[in-house]
Amino acid sequence: MTWPDNGASAAARQQMAADLADGHWNDWIDAFSAIPRHVFVPCFYQQNAEGAWQPVTWGEPGYLEAVYSDEALTTQLDDHGVPTSSSSQPSVMLRMLDALDAEDGHRVLELGAGTGYNAALLAHRLGASDVTSIDIDYELVKAAVRHLEVVGLRPTVVVGDGAQGWPSRAPYDRVIATVGLHTIPQQLLQQAVPGAVIVVPLGYGIVRVTVTGPGHAVGRFLDTPAFFMARRSSGAPPQFDEAAQQPPTDSSVPPADLLGRLKFPASIALPGYNSCSWKDDEGNLEAVGVWTPDGSTATAHASGAVRQCGPQRLWDTVEHLARVFEGAPAREEFRVTITPTKQTVSYGDVGGASWDLPASP
Ligand SMILES: C[S@@+](CC[C@H](N)C(=O)[O-])C[C@H]1O[C@@H](n2cnc3c(N)ncnc32)[C@H](O)[C@@H]1O
């Protein structure tokens, strides 16, 4: 045993695996019960009551319980205290790994190596030589390789922009991303064999597509709600000052709808969508803000006043979604069709509502 293990960690790991299995043991549950998550997350960050981030490490109260709970754990913060890497929520990881339908001999590319934990699960199940994992952050890759070595696994872990794939180890039978994307990059399709399965977080959902030919794929969203840390790329911050100077228009869509029933469709119809909210002193929702990486920004007040600026009229799209959907639409009703020149998400039967995803990642 080359990693700290005090019996409590082994017991906690087995308990987490049993909870994840929920009576249905499979190869991935074997991997969760074999791979010690605490080796990959020697430290995570937790916000205290004031919102300040505190590190929690091995041996500290609550550490083991958190590491072997079904929680995403923040593992890296930038200079402004914004999370930039995390160990994803185990049940969501399991759902994605199950959806991958990976078999012995499959070559897998993972986007978003992070701590290396998911790469370890893949390597345990499929063999390290068939696993390639990529992260944009050199320091994270160094740490992931170290963690993997501790548990005796040596998949290929490289530094790069996952949206470009990793051509030198292609072709891949399976591609999985644990970082949020706005579109499914053509590069991933080009580096995949026909019939390959690609599982990727998109907006507030996870999409699973099958490659049907060069540059072509079809699939649909899983029913699982999920939100992953967005792929690191430059994007404009929200333009709230500029929006505040615009003349207000009236909207009958309650701001709460954007954070509730319309959250998933808005995240698809407005790729790269971000939102925030403001509350009054009693904690009631006063207004919401929404913006996209091109700097388009909208604010909607509980009074019905909407202000918008930038190249896209974001709230107009929210109003359109409010007309299309009576309640919260089920994720699995959204289909994805990819061709070399276009990616479309469509809802319901042929002829229903549809939205184009951006052409480039
Ligand atoms: C949720 S974490 C991944 C968790 C990881 N699979 C694990 O098991 O710990 C998302 C990761 O995506 C990485 N990332 C962000 N932008 C990226 C990009 N353009 N290409 C590759 N990785 C990226 C971040 O550095 C971060 O480590």
Side-chain angles (χ1 to χ4, degrees):
M1 190 72 56
T2 51
W3 63 82
D5 202 13
N6 59 10
S9 59
R13 181 163 76 250
Q14 298 316 321
Q15 186 59 52
M16 184 179 84
D19 291 346
L20 288 172
D22 196 22
H24 303 282
W25 206 268
N26 64 19
D27 289 341
W28 292 118
I29 301 294
D30 271 348
F32 277 102
S33 80
I35 303 294
R37 192 185 190 202
H38 67 272
V39 169
F40 295 85
V41 187
C43 169
F44 64 87
Y45 297 89
Q46 222 171 28
Q47 273 177 305
N48 65 16
E50 286 77 47
W53 290 100
Q54 309 283 340
V56 184
T57 58
W58 169 266
E60 289 184 332
Y63 168 83
L64 264 190
E65 291 77 2
V67 164
Y68 289 108
S69 69
D70 189 24
E71 294 292 332
L73 299 170
T74 298
T75 50
Q76 189 191 50
L77 301 165
D78 70 11
D79 295 344
H80 308 286
V82 176
T84 45
S85 192
S86 62
S87 173
S88 312
Q89 186 179 354
S91 59
V92 175
M93 294 170 69
L94 173 63
R95 183 79 177 88
M96 294 178 77
L97 292 166
D98 271 337
L100 207 55
D101 276 337
E103 290 169 14
D104 291 348
H106 276 166
R107 293 169 59 79
V108 180
L109 173 68
E110 180 196 26
L111 279 51
T115 65
Y117 182 50
N118 200 47
L121 299 172
L122 287 163
H124 181 271
R125 163 72 186 84
L126 297 165
S129 60
D130 283 330
V131 176
T132 304
S133 186
I134 181 166
D135 202 287
I136 194 102
D137 187 315
Y138 172 68
E139 292 302 326
L140 289 176
V141 167
K142 265 200 322 191
V145 169
R146 220 171 39 239
H147 301 151
L148 285 156
E149 276 178 357
V150 170
V151 300
L153 293 167
R154 288 185 180 73
T156 301
V157 188
V158 293
V159 182
D161 179 1
Q164 307 302 319
W166 192 255
S168 64
R169 299 257 305 160
Y172 302 103
D173 301 281
R174 299 289 185 262
V175 180
I176 182 169
T178 52
V179 56
L181 301 179
H182 300 165
T183 188
I184 301 178
Q186 265 295 325
Q187 287 89 333
L188 301 184
L189 273 71
Q190 304 299 347
Q191 293 168 32
V193 301
V197 173
I198 300 179
V199 177
V200 164
L202 215 69
Y204 280 90
I206 296 165
V207 72
R208 178 191 191 278
V209 297
T210 303
V211 176
T212 50
H216 291 258
V218 290
R220 58 174 67 235
F221 279 81
L222 307 183
D223 56 8
T224 312
F227 186 74
F228 277 72
M229 209 160 264
R231 167 179 171 253
R232 291 188 211 177
S233 58
S234 54
Q239 308 295 318
F240 290 131
D241 289 346
E242 192 187 333
Q245 288 161 21
Q246 307 305 311
T249 54
D250 282 337
S251 174
S252 58
V253 179
D257 279 10
L258 180 72
L259 308 178
R261 71 182 190 94
L262 298 178
K263 183 156 123 172
F264 171 67
S267 74
I268 299 305
L270 300 170
Y273 144 109
N274 281 291
S275 62
C276 65
S277 59
W278 291 273
K279 294 193 172 155
D280 65 18
D281 293 343
E282 275 83 52
N284 302 312
L285 184 65
E286 204 167 52
V288 294
V290 50
W291 69 99
T292 49
D294 62 3
S296 301
T297 302
T299 58
H301 199 268
S303 65
V306 168
R307 291 181 166 83
Q308 312 194 60
C309 67
Q312 299 184 74
R313 308 271 300 170
L314 302 182
W315 200 260
D316 292 6
T317 301
V318 174
E319 295 212 328
H320 173 70
L321 295 171
R323 287 192 296 276
V324 170
F325 301 112
E326 269 181 24
R331 285 170 172 73
E332 61 275 24
E333 294 298 320
F334 288 73
R335 286 174 291 117
V336 180
T337 309
I338 302 174
T339 71
T341 53
K342 202 168 155 80
Q343 302 201 10
T344 309
V345 178
S346 32
Y347 175 74
D349 296 333
V350 175
S354 70
W355 301 268
D356 286 344
L357 299 176
S360 63

